[in-house]
Amino acid sequence: MRNLHPPMMKMLLAALLVVAAASFRAADAALPSMAVGVNYGANADNLPPPKDVAAFLAAHTTIDRVKLFDANPAFISAFANTPISLAVSLPNSDLPSLADKQTGLDTARAWVRANLSPYVPATNVTLLLAGNEILLSPDPNLVLSLLPAMRRLAQALRLEGLTGVRVTTPHYLGILAPSDGIPSNARFRPGYDTKLFPPMLQFHRDTGSPFMVNPYPYFSYNNQTLDYALFRPNRGVYDPNTKLNYTSMFDAQMDAIYTAMKRLGYGDVDIAVGEAGWPTQADPGQVGVGVEEARDFNEGMLRVVSSGKGTPLMPNRKFETYIFSLFDENQKPGPIAEKHFGILNPDFTPIYDLGLLRQSSDSGAPNPSPNPSPNPSPKPAPSGGGKWCVPKAGASDTDLQNNINYACGYVDCKPIQSGGACFDPNNVQSHAAFVMNAFYQANGRHDYDCDFKGTGVVTSNDPSYGSCKYVS
Ligand SMILES: *[C@@H]1O[C@H](CO)[C@@H](O)[C@H](O)[C@H]1NC(C)=O
Ligand SMILES: *[C@@H]1O[C@H](CO)[C@@H](O)[C@H](O)[C@H]1NC(C)=O
Ligand SMILES: *[C@@H]1O[C@H](CO)[C@@H](O)[C@H](O)[C@H]1NC(C)=O
């Protein structure tokens, strides 16, 4: 992110680690095919060698894509003969030479021959990223060189026979005009909307490469919108044009991008998420940062991008997505948070559980089992059946209706609709019980998934009745 990047407060975090195998299992069951990508930045002095990282990810996680901020040969070759595909990046400063009308194509071919050809296909490189967040640059020459450089690179890849590599570039959200946060009002920044993005989107359509964005609710929240940014229950943002309610800022940002693209006639072009994440530590006084916050954000995002849930305007779509970030990076300059976006410690134990670890550790990984610390998770996930989430006695209908509105954004609420098995008795209490339980079960049955701002409680009495079956 913004390529900014101090030592880990590992001891502190260790107390919060969720390492119980049972909780990985529960999360895997809830999120069955959570294949996802990660950004692998290495601006740190405490990380394991790339070969060990590649072997660990391949053997012990469901991570299937890795994005690099450069084209370092040690990193590219580390992923040879693994099921993990790579996105590699060119530095921003290379773009002007690639854009040159006379020599750009030769330069691009030479770059591909030097940096990719030796490693492909043993390493499955699927994306080549032309710079990072170029449109943030105040240098007009750099901005003008972006699309020509992308075209030369795509042509060079074809000429060099690397047909499996597509070209794109990650954009920051400032490509959108300032707006009121209503997704259907979004548009690209004036100037870009007519000159830059129509031909760029046409390039994506022609080459089948995704339009890549870096949505960062982390950069947009304030203490009023924290729950909205973290996929936690909240009032939501109503879009009067589409009559859709947004209960997450990430959804709203993705739909804003989609709206801007559609306005130009390119709603069909795939959107990929180049970076999005949440830090676990920040400078003193910054609210909304911590292990729980980071986990809630990334879990919520995974549900949107990997489960097939999609967003309100793009239901059932999946988005090629790279979580920011694999490791904390202790050598990054800038605020403390910049160094603490990681999901794994250098010894491969998770900083928090995202359900991305495979349970078994049967194949040849460098570091067989993430060394389980004896501490139990503060909120252990039960592994067996026999637990349901229901409204607390005395919870108000208003609160329960909010729970329904929220949870129905994530779970199938057909059973409580007219004709559904759990429609009768047709009251808020009964409907809330059904969807609160469905939400709790789908998220891995952590106690906090049944909190609902203090309106839910876990019970061992099966609330099922007649043909209305509550999952457990
Ligand atoms: C390379 O990775 C892509 C994306 O993950 C996948 O679809 C493709 O099958 C992989 N190719 C090979 C040869 O493994
Ligand atoms: C959150 O915002 C409110 C109102 O803007 C402010 O009074 C309060 O101090 C803020 N809380 C924190 C922890 O910053
Ligand atoms: C969205 O929320 C608003 C305000 O809470 C409410 O009036 C409206 O009925 C909701 N719309 C939908 C489609 O859920």
Side-chain angles (χ1 to χ4, degrees), residues 324-386:
F324 191 89
S325 191
L326 183 55
F327 294 114
D328 281 359
E329 293 177 82
N330 65 13
Q331 301 297 299
K332 266 192 154 182
I336 291 181
E338 286 291 332
K339 312 169 207 300
H340 291 285
F341 276 81
I343 60 173
L344 289 186
N345 289 302
D347 66 357
F348 298 117
T349 55
I351 296 176
Y352 50 92
D353 177 23
L354 268 181
L356 300 176
L357 296 190
R358 296 180 198 279
Q359 302 164 309
S360 68
S361 46
D362 48 355
S363 46
N367 196 352
S369 77
N371 184 25
S373 48
N375 68 310
S377 145
K379 290 163 174 174
S383 59

Side-chain angles (χ1 to χ4, degrees), residues 94-109:
D94 279 8
L95 300 188
S97 67
L98 296 165
D100 186 275
K101 276 201 179 67
Q102 319 302 322
T103 58
L105 181 58
D106 288 340
T107 307
R109 290 186 72 168

